[in-house]
Amino acid sequence: MPLPPPPVRPDPNHVPTEAELRRDLAAAYRLFALFGMTDLVFTHLSVRVPGEGHRFLVNPYGLLFEEITASSLVLVDAAGEPAQETSWPVNPAGFVIHSALHLGAPRAHCVMHTHTLAGMAVAAQKGGLLPLNQISTEFHGRVAVHEYEGIAADDNLGERERLVRDMGDKPCMILRHHGLLTVGRTVAEAFYWMYYLEQSCRIQLAAQSSGAPLDIPPEEVVVRARDQMGDSPVKGWLPWQALRRKLDHEQPDYAS
């Protein structure tokens, strides 16, 4: 098999079209299914569509993530109500957290939320995410925490404000007793944070389950490792291009 062309670093000032965003978001849904980060037909990945007003792409309610295609994604308004004709329902109640962050958090062009076993287990721990390894050091000081208030409801404006306040300018959040959430200026960035946040949670549970004492690196080492990995508007672009190639070969219908 010939090598693909070398990767091209994306322009951070590029404004994607709706068609480009549909393909990226559909790819993310397929990858969530591939990497075991789904909860049947529940949870959402959403992305803001450029242009006037507040419009977002989200999954049709009832499709498995492995069934999502670019054309099946539904355009909704800030309340999660369809802004296009669709034969599939959407779940406005499930979009409450997403819409609050899309409208209020600086980098939340894309929002991803999961209910994974590892993520929910760490969300139930008082200590939260621990810097136990090189992967998890990248999250030091970058993970917000939002306390559990029950099922998020559209009429609870106070919680929406607290979500935005708690998120601040961080790319990741642990929703206490609920799960994980990441935001990004691109789909690739939000996916990068979620993939490695999930891996960090899985590694933490594996280390804790051994029963051996946990060895946490000194604060100055954790900070240095985090800063070495950096942050940028095109975070995650290189693995994202590789993952898109994987889907192009194995599940090309995602882009249809």
Side-chain angles (χ1 to χ4, degrees), residues 33 80 97 173:
I97 292 173
M173 174 179 276

Side-chain angles (χ1 to χ4, degrees), residues 25 29 42-48 56-59 65 76-78 80 91-105 108-115 152 160 163-164 175 180-183 194:
L25 193 62
Y29 274 105
F42 305 103
T43 73
H44 302 285
L45 320 178
S46 58
V47 68
R48 178 193 299 274
F56 312 92
L57 291 170
V58 70
N59 52 316
F65 281 19
V76 299
D77 61 21
N91 182 11
F95 193 65
V96 169
I97 292 173
H98 290 247
S99 62
L101 293 172
H102 276 306
L103 297 176
H109 293 286
C110 180
V111 179
M112 299 185 174
H113 172 43
T114 62
H115 296 161
R160 293 165 65 90
L163 275 163
V164 173
L175 298 162
L180 306 178
L181 184 144
T182 62
V183 301
M194 181 59 79

Side-chain angles (χ1 to χ4, degrees), residues 51 86 92 95 110 117 128 132-133 136 168 224 228 251:
T86 175
F95 193 65
C110 180
L117 177 64
L132 296 174
N133 54 82
S136 59
R224 180 171 183 267
Q228 285 175 317
Q251 302 181 42

Side-chain angles (χ1 to χ4, degrees), residues 192-204:
Y192 175 92
W193 289 120
M194 181 59 79
Y195 177 83
Y196 282 111
L197 182 59
E198 171 69 17
Q199 294 306 305
S200 296
C201 290
R202 294 182 186 186
I203 293 168
Q204 179 166 318

